[in-house]
Amino acid sequence: MLHMKHIIWDWNGTLLDDLDVSMDALNSILTKEQLPLVLDKDEYRKYFQFPVIEYYKKVGFDFAKTPFPILAQQYMAYYQPHSLQCSLHTGVEETLGKAEQKGYCQYLLSASDLQFLKQQLAVYDISNYFQDIQGLDNIHAHSKAELAKAFVKERQLNPNEVVFVGDSVHDSEVAKYAGCHCILIANGHEHRDKLTKTGRRVVGNIKEFAQLL
């Protein structure tokens, strides 16, 4: 980590502790569709993946019955207002502060809709740590790979000096696509076993990550 200059943070599950609300939102639409609920966090973490449409298939949604865009809207109708009650993961503010003190440039890049992301960020006093905040222009959480690659290029960042920090296999894929390093945190939305298979360094929580700074 010592040779890194830039940290690009993921938001959901990495900095924002929204696993419970995400499960509740998922179960709210599973209930409407009369499908079995996902009640176990380990089970949820094994199901979860990007693009989100694939994870919806895994839990049993029939898009012929209810199209994915409708399910995504129903999910967000529950998730967004409830997510404003979520806490940050323990140690987030301290870690962002430590990274700033160490001279790292920090950015936030999420697969969330940018407007929703800004609504969430307004709840917390951490926006000043980020030199830029990037999100998608829709609620379908397909991929942020193109966004990440363009961001690194437009900012003229040296990929060898950039580390992506996230909680999903997709974060590893995004980092690879952008030619950057990656560290994964295993207390978010995806199971540690899946993260380990990426070959990336995996830490248990953000406090463990802070020790690498």
Side-chain angles (χ1 to χ4, degrees):
M1 282 294 292
L2 294 178
H3 65 290
M4 299 295 163
K5 294 182 179 179
H6 308 277
I7 301 173
I8 300 181
W9 294 96
D10 172 57
W11 174 239
N12 302 94
T14 301
L15 300 180
L16 184 69
D17 185 5
D18 64 347
L19 179 60
D20 288 337
V21 169
S22 298
M23 286 181 63
D24 289 344
L26 174 64
N27 284 326
S28 73
I29 54 176
L30 284 169
T31 299
K32 287 180 183 178
E33 298 296 307
Q34 298 181 315
L35 292 168
L37 303 186
V38 178
L39 301 176
D40 179 79
K41 288 185 180 181
D42 270 357
E43 181 186 11
Y44 170 91
R45 287 179 168 126
K46 288 175 181 175
Y47 278 130
F48 187 85
Q49 73 174 87
F50 284 96
V52 165
I53 190 170
E54 297 301 325
Y55 128 69
Y56 275 36
K57 290 177 185 176
K58 284 184 184 177
V59 297
F61 288 116
D62 179 358
F63 299 143
K65 179 182 176 185
T66 308
F68 173 68
I70 300 297
L71 293 169
Q73 288 175 353
Q74 292 175 350
Y75 177 97
M76 290 305 297
Y78 183 99
Y79 171 84
Q80 190 60 19
H82 288 85
S83 72
L84 301 179
Q85 307 300 318
C86 289
S87 300
L88 299 174
H89 276 294
T90 302
V92 164
E93 292 183 69
E94 294 85 349
T95 301
L96 294 175
K98 181 178 180 181
E100 183 178 73
Q101 290 171 2
K102 294 276 189 177
Y104 292 96
C105 296
Q106 300 183 86
Y107 316 90
L108 190 63
L109 193 146
S110 173
S112 297
D113 175 88
L114 182 58
Q115 296 309 311
F116 285 155
L117 177 60
K118 288 182 175 179
Q119 286 178 21
Q120 290 175 319
L121 277 169
V123 177
Y124 314 98
D125 190 25
I126 61 170
S127 294
N128 59 303
Y129 289 114
F130 306 117
Q131 293 196 6
D132 202 348
I133 296 166
Q134 296 278 325
L136 300 182
D137 61 359
N138 62 76
I139 64 171
H140 300 149
H142 178 68
S143 173
K144 58 184 180 182
E146 291 293 345
L147 178 67
K149 188 173 184 178
F151 179 77
V152 170
K153 184 177 180 180
E154 288 165 9
R155 280 267 176 174
Q156 296 184 316
L157 306 182
N158 179 347
N160 286 323
E161 298 174 340
V162 178
V163 60
F164 279 78
V165 183
D167 69 317
S168 72
V169 171
H170 184 56
D171 288 306
S172 174
E173 295 167 346
V174 167
K176 182 178 180 180
Y177 190 69
C180 302
H181 301 276
C182 182
I183 294 176
L184 300 173
I185 301 179
N187 65 343
H189 286 268
E190 282 206 67
H191 199 277
R192 186 172 191 131
D193 290 348
K194 293 162 67 181
L195 302 183
T196 301
K197 288 177 182 177
T198 66
R200 302 290 191 176
R201 184 164 192 166
V202 179
V203 296
N205 53 56
I206 199 162
K207 287 188 173 183
E208 284 186 34
F209 172 81
Q211 294 171 10
L212 304 176
L213 295 174

